[in-house]
Amino acid sequence: EDQVTQSPEALRLQEGESSSLNCSYTVSGLRGLFWYRQDPGKGPEFLFTLYSAGEEKEKERLKATLTKKESFLHITAPKPEDSATYLCAVQAWGNKLVFGAGTILRVKS
Amino acid sequence: DTGVSQNPRHKITKRGQNVTFRCDPISEHNRLYWYRQTLGQGPEFLTYFQNEAQLEKSRLLSDRFSAERPKGSFSTLEIQRTEQGDSAMYLCASSAGDRADEKLFFGSGTQLSVL
């Protein structure tokens, strides 16, 4: 069965303090690994798709990387507006995404 | 592009009542999904439509749940004889294209509370 585990469950950072979020996955036939951001009371918002090991994508202060077993979301010099829940999901065969429980990020100024 | 719209935003009902939610996807998005999210968890897949055809349903979806997408436009999700365990955020998402690995655009969800 496809599974996604995210760590840590929660992370508190000072503004400017860089860190990484981890997403470990087991899936039969990875078609894509997705990162989404979710603000309280809203639906998830797409950030990145990674398709193969070694792939990296960047957007502003965020950089996502992928290996055969896990993905990292690196946050460089975060700002308070980066505070959100970050969700990782995998797409195997079929039409559904399997999500992890998310990492709640709080950035204090 | 006004995004994915879901109504109502909040629904409070008593156990045993039926409820219906509506989702208006982004115009011309042929793929539509329903997910359910409980507090502290990630979204959980419920069902998928390609145009008007319901092509995939979660094995976790009981027969009290039914979804439709008439004419391949908006979609409705109905829960019959609601139970307290049905309390959750119900999210709708849509995407365009022929590939299942296209990014999804989510609505803000309908928060259901069953008393």
Side-chain angles (χ1 to χ4, degrees):
Chain A
E1 185 177 333
D2 302 334
Q3 270 193 320
V4 177
T5 303
Q6 292 189 245
S7 62
E9 292 184 6
L11 182 62
R12 289 187 177 186
L13 299 174
Q14 286 295 125
E15 185 173 3
E17 180 186 2
S18 301
S19 189
S20 296
L21 313 182
N22 177 263
C23 170
S24 298
Y25 64 90
T26 54
V27 63
S28 53
L30 180 71
R31 294 177 66 181
L33 183 140
F34 297 77
W35 282 98
Y36 284 82
R37 168 193 171 126
Q38 186 172 27
D39 292 302
K42 295 192 175 182
E45 177 184 350
F46 173 80
L47 293 174
F48 303 108
T49 310
L50 301 167
Y51 293 103
S52 58
E55 189 174 0
E56 299 182 352
K57 288 193 177 173
E58 286 188 68
K59 178 182 178 181
E60 297 180 353
R61 296 176 294 281
L62 300 177
K63 178 180 177 181
T65 62
L66 181 65
T67 72
K68 289 186 178 179
K69 293 183 179 180
E70 57 190 351
S71 176
F72 291 93
L73 185 65
H74 306 278
I75 303 176
T76 302
K79 297 182 178 182
E81 53 262 42
D82 294 322
S83 297
T85 296
Y86 289 85
L87 296 164
C88 173
V90 295
Q91 176 106 51
W93 302 110
N95 295 285
K96 70 176 184 181
L97 289 179
V98 176
F99 282 86
T103 294
I104 302 171
L105 174 66
R106 292 289 177 260
V107 182
K108 289 191 173 183
S109 58
Chain B
D1 181 354
T2 57
V4 177
S5 177
Q6 291 189 246
N7 288 287
R9 289 297 313 278
H10 303 276
K11 179 70 176 179
I12 300 173
T13 191
K14 292 183 179 179
R15 189 176 51 188
Q17 298 293 306
N18 299 344
V19 294
T20 300
F21 311 140
R22 177 179 171 122
C23 170
D24 288 273
I26 292 172
S27 178
E28 298 181 357
H29 275 193
N30 58 332
R31 306 171 76 94
L32 187 145
Y33 305 77
W34 285 97
Y35 283 80
R36 176 172 63 190
Q37 186 176 26
T38 54
L39 196 62
Q41 299 299 313
E44 176 187 40
F45 172 80
L46 293 179
T47 191
Y48 159 69
F49 288 86
Q50 183 160 336
N51 298 311
E52 68 276 8
Q54 186 174 20
L55 297 183
E56 192 169 344
K57 286 175 63 174
S58 169
R59 287 173 291 176
L60 301 174
L61 205 62
S62 82
D63 55 9
R64 296 185 297 105
F65 287 70
S66 62
E68 295 182 340
R69 192 183 183 196
K71 302 180 182 178
S73 56
F74 71 92
S75 176
T76 58
L77 177 68
E78 181 182 17
I79 308 174
Q80 296 182 326
R81 304 181 303 282
T82 53
E83 301 172 357
Q84 288 187 325
D86 296 331
S87 296
M89 173 78 82
Y90 289 83
L91 293 164
C92 177
S94 68
S95 69
D98 298 326
R99 294 175 53 167
D101 56 359
E102 294 286 344
K103 66 182 181 183
L104 300 185
F105 293 83
F106 282 86
S108 291
T110 294
Q111 182 67 53
L112 173 66
S113 297
V114 182
L115 304 179

